[in-house]
Amino acid sequence: GNGGGKIELFVDGNVVLDGTISVNGASGSGTWGKYNNSQASAGGSGGAALVKIKGALSGSGSITTNGGGGGNYDKYYGGGGSGGRIAIYFDSSKSGSNIDGLKDAIALGGATSDGAIKAGNGTVGFFDTATTPVSVAVYNQRYDFLDADAGSGVFDFSNVYFENAVSTIEAKGAA
């Protein structure tokens, strides 16, 4: 299936997100190949959602970058697409800012059937710019801190908060 693509939302004012931002991968089709070589295709990977709000952020909407499910054909089953990446930057010091209704943002790996390998989940992070350096929170998901995120090669956060979540840190060149 096709991958989810990318959405970037940059807002100078306030945002109440009560709708849906979806950058999901498509499910795999039943077949690819010709004649006797037909197989099931894999699901597309979830996309990327980058949300940067300078004003208050609130609402109870959803943000998803899920991978697509694997296709199936005859006795062949394609794997699911991996979950995507969600990064939400907001300022908790702005009047009315409350992300409690948005904590279920999710980037699940695509489902499969009959023993095909399920894809891995993606990453979701909430970055509070009210503090210097920025604070990060991860809810019900995971966030992988990549070397590219560090910019200067150093991860510098005021606070790191995990709720039902896991994290990994990639440190290239570290001894």
Side-chain angles (χ1 to χ4, degrees):
N2 292 327
K6 179 180 181 180
I7 186 168
E8 293 180 341
L9 180 64
F10 300 98
V11 180
D12 286 332
N14 299 334
V15 171
V16 177
L17 178 60
D18 283 331
T20 300
I21 296 175
S22 175
V23 197
N24 297 330
S27 292
S29 64
T31 63
W32 63 269
K34 290 185 178 182
Y35 312 110
N36 293 331
N37 295 326
S38 293
Q39 303 285 324
S41 64
S45 64
L50 174 60
V51 178
K52 289 189 174 185
I53 309 299
K54 289 186 178 177
L57 174 62
S58 63
S60 59
S62 67
I63 302 173
T64 61
T65 60
N66 297 329
N72 61 65
Y73 172 74
D74 193 20
K75 60 183 178 199
Y76 302 103
Y77 301 94
S82 63
R85 188 167 176 94
I86 299 171
I88 301 168
Y89 291 81
F90 70 102
D91 185 341
S92 66
S93 70
K94 300 292 183 179
S95 177
S97 198
N98 183 344
I99 64 165
D100 287 346
L102 301 171
K103 290 180 181 177
D104 288 332
I106 198 144
L108 295 176
T112 62
S113 56
D114 289 345
I117 297 172
K118 180 184 183 303
N121 292 337
T123 60
V124 178
F126 290 83
F127 298 85
D128 186 354
T129 59
T131 60
T132 303
V134 170
S135 294
V136 63
V138 181
Y139 305 95
N140 306 313
Q141 190 74 43
R142 68 177 293 129
Y143 196 86
D144 296 323
F145 296 93
L146 306 176
D147 201 42
D149 294 334
S152 65
V154 176
F155 294 103
D156 192 5
F157 299 108
S158 291
N159 297 292
V160 178
Y161 176 78
F162 296 95
E163 182 177 297
N164 299 321
V166 296
S167 178
T168 59
I169 298 175
E170 172 192 276
K172 290 185 178 176

